[in-house]
Amino acid sequence: MKTHPLLSSTVLPLFTVFSCSGALAQSLTPAQIKQIEEIAQNIASQYNSNAVAMLDDMTVSTRAVAVARNVRFENVLRVKKGLPQANIKEFSEETHREIVPKSCAVNAMNPAFDRGLTYTFVYTNTYGEKLAEFTVDKTICSSYK
């Protein structure tokens, strides 16, 4: 199973749109946390404003939801019901291999990412069956250096 073109061309540029300023800190103030949450909300909003352009023969719907410092990208794909577990595993692994390094690269100098901004990618089919789900954060990215 091939990864979906959406993975590399439309999601990743949005990650660099928002960043916060200031020096990195170990513990965050409530104001810093609020700022990162606002950044997550802005990323989700901008993504959703472009979502219709990302639909294609395979993608039925796509949307982003900001919850605290996480942006959750939810994608519903048109694939048949009851795929064998091996196919789901292959899709999940290929998608992870494509998304994680690119997400890490575009967020390498993003202070908001350093301060806890994360991205979760979820893929389901039109029947509600989960195809893949994974989160990209600073800890995950440290293994890609």
Side-chain angles (χ1 to χ4, degrees):
M1 182 179 286
K2 292 285 187 192
T3 54
H4 188 266
L6 163 75
L7 305 179
S8 60
S9 62
T10 54
V11 174
L12 296 175
L14 293 175
F15 296 149
T16 59
V17 173
F18 302 99
S19 66
C20 57
S21 60
L24 298 179
Q26 291 298 92
S27 61
L28 301 175
T29 67
Q32 290 170 318
I33 292 170
K34 184 175 189 255
Q35 184 180 32
I36 296 166
E37 289 172 346
E38 289 171 354
I39 290 167
Q41 290 170 0
N42 288 333
I43 291 170
S45 178
Q46 183 172 350
Y47 181 88
N48 291 333
S49 70
N50 295 316
V52 172
M54 295 180 248
L55 301 181
D56 59 20
D57 291 341
M58 188 175 177
T59 308
V60 175
S61 68
T62 184
R63 72 178 187 141
V65 179
V67 178
R69 291 181 276 174
N70 178 261
V71 181
R72 181 178 174 91
F73 297 96
E74 300 172 347
N75 301 281
V76 178
L77 305 179
R78 187 175 285 113
V79 296
K80 67 182 181 176
K81 186 176 184 178
L83 286 175
Q85 192 59 40
N87 290 52
I88 292 172
K89 184 176 188 265
E90 178 184 4
F91 174 82
S92 181
E93 289 171 353
E94 286 183 19
T95 303
H96 189 273
R97 272 193 303 270
E98 182 166 342
I99 292 290
V100 174
K102 290 178 182 178
S103 297
C104 294
V106 292
N107 282 284
M109 302 303 285
N110 183 348
F113 196 66
D114 287 335
R115 292 179 173 179
L117 179 67
T118 63
Y119 307 103
T120 299
F121 297 87
V122 181
Y123 297 86
T124 59
N125 65 15
T126 55
Y127 303 97
E129 298 171 328
K130 189 179 290 185
L131 304 171
E133 181 172 350
F134 54 90
T135 298
V136 180
D137 62 14
K138 190 68 175 178
T139 303
I140 298 292
C141 290
S142 66
S143 65
Y144 282 90
K145 291 182 179 184

